[in-house]
Amino acid sequence: MAAAEDRAEAPGIVIDEMEVDGQRLRYAVKGGPAERPPLLMFNGIGANLELGFPFLNALGETRAIIFDVPGVGGSPLPRLPYRPRTLARWAKGLCERLGHQAVDVSGVSWGGGMAQQFAFQYPRACRRLVLAATAPGWTMVPGKPDVLSKMASIRRYTDRGYMRSIAAEIYGGDFRADPTHIERHAAGMRPQSQKGYLMQLAAMAGWTSLPWLWSLRQPTLVMAGTDDPLVPVANARLLHRMIPKARLHLVDNGHLFLVTRAEESAATVEAFLKAADPMEAGA
């Protein structure tokens, strides 16, 4: 189990550890009414689970589960490199050990690929799908080369000064106008390992969801920022066209709108998850 001081870092959120299929995972759970399945969240590349707390705290009536990918945050490095299907299996095992046979699934940026993989790999375990600031893998419409080159380095997670210097350029939106967003984001970061970051990059090498997006049957909310230097909004439009039951929601913001506009984003997501007809919710 996690140390006691590491088990309640935010009101209503409990942090702990669990072994799943031989891999130890550090995870956090936000409680709430049991009227719907909890929301399983896949974070962005290099992002420890604390960086998702602003969004979790903004959720009103939705239980949530988030975990550190092996090699990131408090989850130890895996014995071997992994692929998206392996991470999806670990995530499903974690949910089952927490007592949930079915979940709603969300993913932001890199984690959006993992969310797509989970929905495809375990269709009966995924009720609804939320994809934020993400793309269909290597077949994506790329961001600017100089922005992508900065993302390829772990330095933004190990050097807070460097993060502050590049945040506006790589994340866009609110980070351009208000430096306090950069400070709050940097404050939530935990030291990362170079090997864990490289494993995340390698996991997605050659991966694409385009051949099977048409087969996804979950109602899907596709969210994107209109000022996203990393994942241009064209990717969201592509996901929207390819997924049969998808609804597109554009935000006048950058890559990390789930963080800088947490309350607004959480309200949109919860309306989608709660709606009897999710294709009409918030339309």
Side-chain angles (χ1 to χ4, degrees):
M1 292 295 181
E5 63 270 17
D6 194 35
R7 295 183 63 181
E9 294 192 2
I13 298 176
V14 175
I15 300 174
D16 213 330
E17 294 180 2
M18 181 183 296
E19 187 169 303
V20 179
D21 290 343
Q23 173 64 50
R24 197 144 195 87
L25 298 176
R26 176 175 178 262
Y27 68 92
V29 173
K30 175 191 174 293
E35 299 171 356
R36 288 177 282 108
L39 179 65
L40 170 66
M41 297 175 58
F42 288 94
N43 231 338
I45 189 168
N48 50 282
L49 59 82
E50 286 86 354
L51 295 180
F53 281 4
F55 180 78
L56 261 67
N57 286 325
L59 291 171
E61 300 179 354
T62 299
R63 296 174 296 165
I65 302 165
I66 189 170
F67 67 97
D68 284 336
V69 170
V72 174
S75 293
L77 284 164
R79 292 190 297 269
L80 298 170
Y82 59 88
R83 295 292 288 169
R85 60 180 176 272
T86 309
L87 190 60
R89 188 182 76 244
W90 285 331
K92 184 173 183 288
L94 174 64
C95 292
E96 289 176 344
R97 292 202 60 189
L98 291 172
H100 309 294
Q101 297 301 312
V103 290
D104 293 324
V105 179
S106 72
V108 57
S109 195
W110 181 93
M114 298 302 161
Q116 293 169 62
Q117 179 68 36
F118 188 103
F120 174 67
Q121 191 167 326
Y122 301 113
R124 294 184 179 179
C126 177
R127 186 186 72 118
R128 294 183 185 180
L129 182 62
V130 179
L131 303 175
T134 193
W138 72 268
T139 48
M140 70 179 288
V141 177
K144 295 180 179 179
D146 58 334
V147 172
L148 294 178
S149 67
K150 292 181 174 66
M151 281 293 294
S153 170
I154 195 177
R155 186 181 173 193
R156 64 195 173 102
Y157 282 115
T158 59
D159 184 342
R160 291 187 179 183
Y162 180 68
M163 166 64 89
R164 294 183 184 98
S165 71
I166 67 169
E169 179 185 0
I170 66 174
Y171 294 132
D174 289 333
F175 280 80
R176 298 188 194 278
D178 187 351
T180 62
H181 289 298
I182 300 174
E183 295 300 323
R184 285 196 292 268
H185 189 67
M189 297 188 311
R190 289 174 58 118
Q192 307 298 332
S193 74
Q194 179 75 23
K195 188 173 182 180
Y197 195 83
L198 291 175
M199 279 188 168
Q200 281 194 280
L201 287 173
M204 294 296 286
W207 181 90
T208 178
S209 57
L210 276 185
W212 45 257
L213 279 176
W214 63 270
S215 71
L216 296 182
R217 291 295 176 262
Q218 296 90 348
T220 302
L221 174 64
V222 180
M223 305 177 72
T226 56
D227 178 25
D228 187 341
L230 285 171
V231 185
V233 72
N235 292 285
R237 298 189 188 281
L238 177 60
L239 291 171
H240 177 233
R241 286 197 300 269
M242 294 292 294
I243 300 173
K245 298 180 181 178
R247 182 168 66 80
L248 180 63
H249 179 82
L250 298 182
V251 182
D252 184 17
N253 209 309
H255 189 67
L256 293 183
F257 56 85
L258 290 186
V259 175
T260 63
R261 304 281 179 91
E263 291 187 2
E264 174 187 330
S265 299
T268 299
V269 170
E270 286 200 290
F272 171 76
L273 298 178
K274 292 164 63 175
D277 184 352
M279 303 314 296
E280 296 296 329

